[in-house]
Amino acid sequence: MTLATVSRYDSTRIPEVGDHAVVVGASMAGLCAARVLADGFDTVTVIERDSLPDEPVARRGVPQARQPHILWEAGRITLEDLLPGYSEALLATGGVLIDGRSDLYNYSRGGFLTAGTDPFVLYSATRPLYEQLVRRHVFTLDGVQMRAGCQFTEYLVTDEATVVEGVVIRNRDAEREEISAELVVDATGRTSRTPAWLERHGYTPPPLNEVCIDVAYSTTLIERPADDCRTFTVLAETPRTRGGLAAPVEGDRWLVNLHGVHGDHPPTDTEGFVDFAASLPTPELKRLLVEYPQVSGDIHRYPFPANRRYRYEDLDRFPDGLVVIGDAIASFNPIYGQGMSVAALEALVLHRALANGGREELALRFFDRVAAVIDVAWTMATGADFSFPETEGHRPRGTAFFNWYLSRLFRNAHTDAELTDAFNRVLSMQQPPTSLLHPSVAWRVLRPAG
Ligand SMILES: Cc1cc2nc3c(=O)[nH]c(=O)nc-3n(C[C@H](O)[C@H](O)[C@H](O)COP(=O)(O)OP(=O)(O)OC[C@H]3O[C@@H](n4cnc5c(N)ncnc54)[C@H](O)[C@@H]3O)c2cc1C
């Protein structure tokens, strides 16, 4: 399910669903969930372990925040629907509008993809800025209240644990506090404890799919001339285990990222970082690093051992009053940068599930539908990972064919603008990967190059 197929936001469709909902986790998925819950609940309380800064700076609970975050159009348009004015606010606070046709240089299979002909824009900013603007908007909504600096510790449940009735937190004064709610949303990211909790309370936990890629991302900030919006991507692709990207962000800076899979991890010292960039098949990233000063000497590393997806959609028994969303369900190698867009689309699915049945069997209905959103990003990310023979995990049938097909598509897209357009629509989650198999695309992929 992509932007083309997910039902769009319509606040008039939400009936009164309840008095109080709790969302645990005030990152992108939790904030988007709080936004849609605010239409149906009198009060929505968001519980967050971190203190939330007023400035757009990285915080402890989102350690990936120093890495580049691409916001694809499916995510940006959805955020705009949910939070009108979001895109304008991004630009007003320094976010950069990239014209993909003139500013994006995407290297794959021995060359740059030629510019597409369809409009292809990207709103680029640092991750803390995207999140801060969502947070600001959500906390001005009627009925939404924030409990920052509060750690969720467990669910409140009925005797047989058939219904979740709220949460227990350790509050700012380090005291135990119970908060009742008719609905609790777990948006705690990769560290979600819901699978283990289910098992402890007599439920079958969701089956777990893991695809081990052992990638590490290292990122630094360099200075950028204000009018230079060039954006480079040279993603790792077999047999080359290394890649990188440079994205313009607010404050006249580029985020320059290097990454390496299966243990070929980029260093975090400046000299080693530049050498690693020099080993890429195209010189642009190294040139930027040599030409423009680092904003500070810091190079931040984020290791990402494995894609992880809990198959909640396979369960047929789940407590009432609880839903799981965002990275807590699935987190995938961010090589294609789709997590925030997935979180926004998932919130739309939650909105629809509330509109079409309120709290009745909400979780199972939601998991069932949200699987189709996750499938898109999961297929793309793990498909790329499985092109490396060392990658371990359940390999869906057809992966080898799709990888062969994609690499042919990329080669032909060095000269065929329509192939670039077709791929960009998939990358930005506006169309599903299967759209690349449509005959109008396939003949361009399969015809001899040149
Ligand atoms: C290296 C890297 C690069 C990425 N790049 C991109 C990109 O380019 N584009 C993109 O769209 N996505 C990207 N992502 C993915 C993106 O960061 C996530 O998908 C997105 O943030 C949604 O995550 P989330 O809100 O579900 O969870 P998280 O962002 O992990 O947030 C979980 C929240 O829950 C809070 N929390 C956890 N436990 C508790 C507790 N017990 N009590 C209270 N609060 C708690 C945390 O403090 C945090 O605020 C990237 C991820 C990584 C790792």
Side-chain angles (χ1 to χ4, degrees), residues 24-29 47-50 59 61-62 64 67-70 127 150-152 187-189 191 217 302 326-327 334 337-341:
V24 187
S27 178
M28 292 303 270
I47 308 289
E48 170 55 51
R49 189 170 49 187
D50 284 351
R59 59 188 176 84
V62 185
Q64 73 272 32
Q67 305 301 325
H69 273 62
I70 306 289
R127 165 56 204 251
C150 295
Q151 169 132 13
F152 158 78
T188 54
T191 59
Y217 290 85
Y302 188 97
D327 282 19
Q338 294 178 322
M340 297 189 299
S341 299

Side-chain angles (χ1 to χ4, degrees), residues 7 22 29 36 58 61 78 87 124 170 174 185 201 214 221 269 321 324 327 344 376 399 429:
S7 303
V22 162
V36 301
T78 304
S87 319
S124 183
R170 195 160 53 245
V185 176
H201 288 80
D214 184 17
L221 279 160
D269 65 288
V324 184
D327 282 19
V376 172
T399 304
M429 297 195 75

Side-chain angles (χ1 to χ4, degrees), residues 56 115 366:
F366 170 74

Side-chain angles (χ1 to χ4, degrees), residues 23 29-39 44 46 138-139 141 144 350:
V23 176
L31 292 169
C32 291
R35 166 68 195 90
V36 301
L37 294 178
D39 291 329
V44 179
V46 183
V138 170
F139 292 133
L141 298 171
V144 176
L350 180 61

Side-chain angles (χ1 to χ4, degrees), residues 62-395:
V62 185
Q64 73 272 32
R66 290 193 168 88
Q67 305 301 325
H69 273 62
I70 306 289
L71 178 63
W72 295 115
E73 275 299 86
R76 204 270 310 165
I77 291 168
T78 304
L79 287 174
E80 184 64 39
D81 284 352
L82 295 173
L83 316 163
Y86 181 74
S87 319
E88 211 180 300
L90 255 184
L91 298 184
T93 45
V96 179
L97 186 59
I98 299 170
D99 181 341
R101 286 176 301 190
S102 53
D103 294 329
L104 178 62
Y105 298 84
N106 188 354
Y107 182 95
S108 180
R109 297 289 156 211
F112 286 101
L113 273 53
T114 193
T117 51
D118 289 350
F120 183 56
V121 295
L122 283 162
Y123 286 67
S124 183
T126 59
R127 165 56 204 251
L129 182 58
Y130 292 125
E131 184 183 305
Q132 189 209 29
L133 295 177
V134 173
R135 188 163 72 229
R136 244 195 226 162
H137 195 130
V138 170
F139 292 133
T140 59
L141 298 171
D142 277 351
V144 176
Q145 53 189 36
M146 181 67 211
R147 299 284 308 270
C150 295
Q151 169 132 13
F152 158 78
T153 56
E154 57 185 303
Y155 296 122
L156 285 172
V157 281
T158 49
D159 286 346
E160 289 83 31
T162 51
V163 184
V164 168
E165 296 186 312
V167 292
V168 180
I169 62 168
R170 195 160 53 245
N171 68 19
R172 270 189 176 282
D173 303 320
E175 285 163 354
R176 183 181 187 281
E177 182 180 331
E178 295 188 357
I179 303 177
S180 309
E182 291 142 307
L183 179 65
V184 175
V185 176
D186 173 5
T188 54
R190 271 173 83 88
T191 59
S192 165
R193 299 190 208 149
T194 299
W197 181 89
L198 287 168
E199 196 162 13
R200 274 202 314 280
H201 288 80
Y203 289 87
T204 306
L208 172 65
N209 284 169
E210 266 193 318
V211 175
C212 300
I213 182 66
D214 184 17
V215 57
Y217 290 85
S218 293
T219 296
T220 194
L221 279 160
I222 60 169
E223 291 177 15
R224 172 178 68 85
D227 57 353
D228 191 341
C229 298
R230 285 176 302 154
T231 306
F232 298 99
T233 69
V234 194
L235 304 183
E237 57 186 12
T238 182
R240 175 170 42 83
T241 48
R242 316 181 150 187
L245 70 88
V249 293
E250 74 274 11
D252 300 337
R253 299 169 297 174
W254 269 296
L255 273 167
V256 180
N257 163 271
L258 298 173
H259 55 261
V261 304
H262 293 302
D264 186 14
H265 295 170
T268 51
D269 65 288
T270 300
E271 198 182 327
F273 196 76
V274 175
D275 286 348
F276 194 96
S279 71
L280 298 180
T282 160
E284 283 76 9
L285 294 187
K286 184 197 165 192
R287 266 191 212 139
L288 290 184
L289 288 168
V290 170
E291 217 168 303
Y292 296 98
Q294 270 178 276
V295 172
S296 75
D298 296 338
I299 298 174
H300 297 279
R301 174 183 287 192
Y302 188 97
F304 186 94
N307 301 269
R308 201 186 290 159
R309 177 175 184 179
Y310 287 102
R311 295 274 179 180
Y312 280 100
E313 70 274 20
D314 287 357
L315 301 180
D316 36 43
R317 203 174 145 255
F318 197 79
D320 283 339
L322 178 64
V323 162
V324 184
I325 202 165
D327 282 19
I329 305 181
S331 75
F332 22 84
N333 182 356
I335 196 87
Y336 288 129
Q338 294 178 322
M340 297 189 299
S341 299
V342 167
L345 290 171
E346 287 183 359
L348 274 189
V349 175
L350 180 61
H351 162 74
R352 272 296 137 170
L354 285 168
N356 297 336
R359 282 189 281 133
E360 187 77 32
E361 300 247 297
L362 176 66
L364 293 180
R365 288 187 292 116
F366 170 74
F367 293 143
D368 202 37
R369 289 179 204 176
V370 93
V373 173
I374 296 167
D375 281 344
V376 172
W378 183 260
T379 306
M380 296 274 294
T382 61
D385 292 349
F386 276 125
S387 68
F388 293 93
E390 302 90 333
T391 301
E392 289 169 14
H394 171 70
R395 191 181 298 247

